[in-house]
Amino acid sequence: MAEQQYQQPSQSSRTTRAMEALARLEAAGEQAANKPSRLRVLSIEGSDPIGGAGTMADMKAFSAQGVFGYAAMTSVLAQNTQGVTSIVNMDPDFLVAQLNAVSDDAVIDAMKIGMLGTPELVDAVKGWLTALETQYQHDAIAKPVVVLDPVMYAKSGDALLTPQAEQALRTIVPMADIITPNVLELAALADAGQPATNIDELETMARLVCERYGVAVYAKGGALALAGSESSTDILAEPSPQDGDVRTTRIEGKTVHTQNVHGTGDTLSSTLAALRPQCDTWEETTRRAKTWMNGAIGAADRLHVGKGHGPVDFTWQHAPTGLRFSADYWNRVRPIRERIHGMRFITSMVDATLSLDDFAFYLHQDDIYLTDYTSLLALASSRADRLDERVFFAQAASGGVDSEVLFHRNWFIKHGFDPAPVSRSEVTAAYIGHEHRVADSGSYARLVAVVMPCFWLYAAMGKEMRDQVRDKHIDVDTHPFGEWIRMYSDPEFTESTLREVQICDRLAAEASIDEYEHMMHAALVSSEHEFRFFEQGLTRPALGF
C-alpha cells in the first residue's frame, strides 16, 4: 500500500476557518455587553477543614481562574493533610435544598461534581441536574458544562465508597461532559483487573471508558509520575460527534517532585470546570489546566501547611508570598548581606586598616557608576505614574547623587589622589550593564527594583559601620573613611532609602506574579553586583571596559 502523502489544507479552507473563528470572536464581543463580568461555576463537593481539598479547594481554584463560585456540600469531613477521621454525609433532601437555593436564584455556567458518598446522594444530584437541564432548555439558557470527578479511591488505594455507592456513581457518568478519574478509578470504570502501570495502558483504558459511557475522559497520570516517571502525562479521550470514534491526546507535563499533593484531584476538576467556558475545546482547556496545576504544585513546598501531604498553592500566580516585597527581598538577600558585612574590604574600612589606594580605586569606580546611576534615577522619574514619585526620583538624581560625587572629589584631594576620571573596570561595566538591561524592559517597577539595593544595602552598611566605629571608640572625624560612613548613615539618606523601598512595595503589590519575580530578580542580581563592586577595591579587576 502506497504511503499517504500529507496534503496541506487549501488556501480557501484555511481562510474559511479563520473567518469562522474570527466571526465567533466578533459574536462573543457583540454579546459581551450583556454578559456578566465573571463566569459562574458551582461546586458540588464535600468539605475539607484544612482547606486543600473539596469545597474549599474548589472555591480557591475558581477564584484563581477568575470565575465566581457557588457551593453545595454533599458531606462534611473531619480531615487534614494526614487523613480523614470522620465523614457525615448530607441528607439527600438537604443537598437538593442547597442545589435549588443556587439554581432558583442564579445562572450556572459550569459545575464540578465531586464526592457523592451514598447512592441516595447520587440519585439526588441526578434528579436535580435532569430538572435543571430541562429548565435551561425551556428558557434558552446554555447547558452548563458538567465536570465529574468520580471519587471512588484515594491515592493510597483505599476505597472511599461502598460497592452500592460505586455502582450508583456509574449511572451519573453519562450526564457529565468530562470525567477526571485517577488510575484506580479509571481501572474500576474500565472493569480492568489492575490499574495502568504505563502511559500506553492509561491511554487504552481512557479510550475504553470514553467509548463505554460516551463522555470525554481526562485520565490523570500523576500516579505514574509518583512511581518514578520524569514525565507527568495525562490522557484526554474524546468521543467524536461525527463517527463515534474516540480521539486521544497526550497532555504532557514535567514531573514536580513533591509530596504535597493533597487535593490535587479536586483542584484539577474544578479548574477544568472554570476554564472550559473560557476555551474553545477540551484540549485547550486541559492544557491550560495542566500548566496552572504544574505551577500550583511546584509552589506547594513553600506553603508549610500541615504535617502530612500538604495542599497546592492556589495563589501562586497572584501573590508569590504573603510578605511585603521588601520583607521578601530582605530575607532572600540575607546571604549576600552577610557576605558584604563580613568581607575584608568593609571590616578594614571600619578599623581604618584598609589601604587608601584600595579605597581610592573603589571611589574612582563609584564615580563612574554614580554618573550612570543618575541617568537611571532620572529615567525612573520620567516613568513614574505618580507625581510624588516623579519628584522623589528627580531629586535623587540631582541633589542626592551630586553630594556623593562631591564627597569623592574632596576625599581624593584631601588624601593626595588625582580626582580625574579613570577607565571603567569590568566589574563596574557588568553592574551598569545589568541595570540597563532591566531598564530596557520599559518597566517602571523593574527599574525601581534594580536601583533599590544601592539605596538599601548602603544605608544598612552605613548604620552598622557607624555603630561599630562608635563601639570601638574611634573618632569618626579623624577616621580616614569617616565621611563615607557618616554620609550613608545620615538621616536624610535613610529617609530616601525608606521612600525608595516603599515605592517598591507599592509597585510589587500591584504587579502580576511574573512582574513581581522580575522585580525580585533585578534586585537580587544588583545586590550580588554590590558585593563584587566593593570586592574590586581589593581584587583590582581589569580596566578599559
Side-chain angles (χ1 to χ4, degrees), residues 300-327:
D301 286 355
R302 294 183 64 189
L303 283 180
H304 302 291
V305 173
K307 301 175 182 177
H309 298 288
V312 303
D313 186 353
F314 297 87
T315 61
W316 71 276
Q317 275 190 318
H318 296 270
T321 173
L323 300 173
R324 288 186 178 184
F325 178 86
S326 54

Side-chain angles (χ1 to χ4, degrees), residues 101-406:
V102 175
S103 59
D104 289 349
D105 189 45
V107 174
I108 302 167
D109 298 303
M111 69 182 72
K112 172 269 180 87
I113 303 173
M115 185 174 181
L116 300 174
T118 68
E120 293 77 17
L121 289 173
V122 175
D123 290 341
V125 173
K126 281 173 56 182
W128 170 81
L129 182 55
T130 300
L132 179 75
E133 292 179 349
T134 300
Q135 186 64 48
Y136 276 22
Q137 185 176 16
H138 176 270
D139 296 341
I141 299 173
K143 175 185 175 295
V145 174
V146 179
V147 178
L148 173 65
D149 184 8
V151 180
M152 295 187 282
Y153 293 93
K155 294 181 182 73
S156 62
D158 296 334
L160 301 175
L161 300 181
T162 64
Q164 294 80 11
E166 181 178 323
Q167 191 60 39
L169 184 63
R170 293 171 184 260
T171 66
I172 201 174
V173 171
M175 299 186 71
D177 293 293
I178 194 169
I179 61 173
T180 59
N182 61 29
V183 292
L184 295 168
E185 292 156 352
L186 182 67
L189 292 170
D191 294 324
Q194 295 293 329
T197 58
N198 58 60
I199 194 63
D200 292 329
E201 292 177 2
L202 190 74
E203 186 170 10
T204 298
M205 290 187 194
R207 179 185 293 273
L208 190 156
V209 173
C210 179
E211 290 175 342
R212 175 175 295 175
Y213 291 97
V215 298
V217 177
Y218 189 76
K220 298 175 290 192
L224 304 181
L226 290 174
S229 173
E230 284 301 314
S231 174
S232 175
T233 301
D234 302 328
I235 299 295
L236 172 64
E238 299 176 89
S240 171
Q242 286 78 28
D243 53 20
D245 195 12
V246 174
R247 181 173 71 95
T248 59
T249 306
R250 296 192 176 192
I251 309 298
E252 298 179 344
K254 186 178 179 181
T255 296
V256 179
H257 296 286
T258 179
Q259 293 300 310
N260 293 315
V261 291
H262 175 62
T264 49
D266 292 335
T267 304
L268 171 68
S269 55
S270 52
T271 300
L272 292 174
L275 288 176
R276 181 62 183 91
Q278 305 178 49
C279 300
D280 291 329
T281 65
W282 276 117
E283 181 177 347
E284 180 189 355
T285 303
T286 54
R287 290 194 186 281
R288 281 184 59 180
K290 180 78 169 180
T291 299
W292 186 86
M293 286 295 299
N294 279 347
I297 295 170
D301 286 355
R302 294 183 64 189
L303 283 180
H304 302 291
V305 173
K307 301 175 182 177
H309 298 288
V312 303
D313 186 353
F314 297 87
T315 61
W316 71 276
Q317 275 190 318
H318 296 270
T321 173
L323 300 173
R324 288 186 178 184
F325 178 86
S326 54
D328 193 15
Y329 163 77
W330 204 241
N331 176 57
R332 293 202 211 185
V333 82
R334 183 191 305 274
I336 300 175
R337 288 192 286 119
E338 291 175 348
R339 279 191 286 130
I340 291 175
H341 292 168
M343 67 190 307
R344 187 162 66 88
F345 185 89
I346 297 299
T347 57
S348 298
M349 278 184 66
V350 172
D351 59 21
T353 60
L354 180 68
S355 161
L356 295 182
D357 286 336
D358 291 339
F359 189 72
F361 184 93
Y362 156 77
L363 276 193
H364 273 303
Q365 293 304 310
D366 202 29
D367 257 349
I368 297 169
Y369 171 80
L370 286 174
T371 300
D372 192 85
Y373 189 69
T374 300
S375 70
L376 294 175
L377 296 176
L379 182 60
S381 176
S382 70
R383 288 183 182 172
D385 55 2
R386 293 188 178 184
L387 180 59
D388 61 326
E389 294 176 12
R390 286 186 181 183
V391 172
F392 167 75
F393 283 115
Q395 292 176 340
S398 55
V401 173
D402 283 350
S403 64
E404 293 175 79
V405 172
L406 179 62

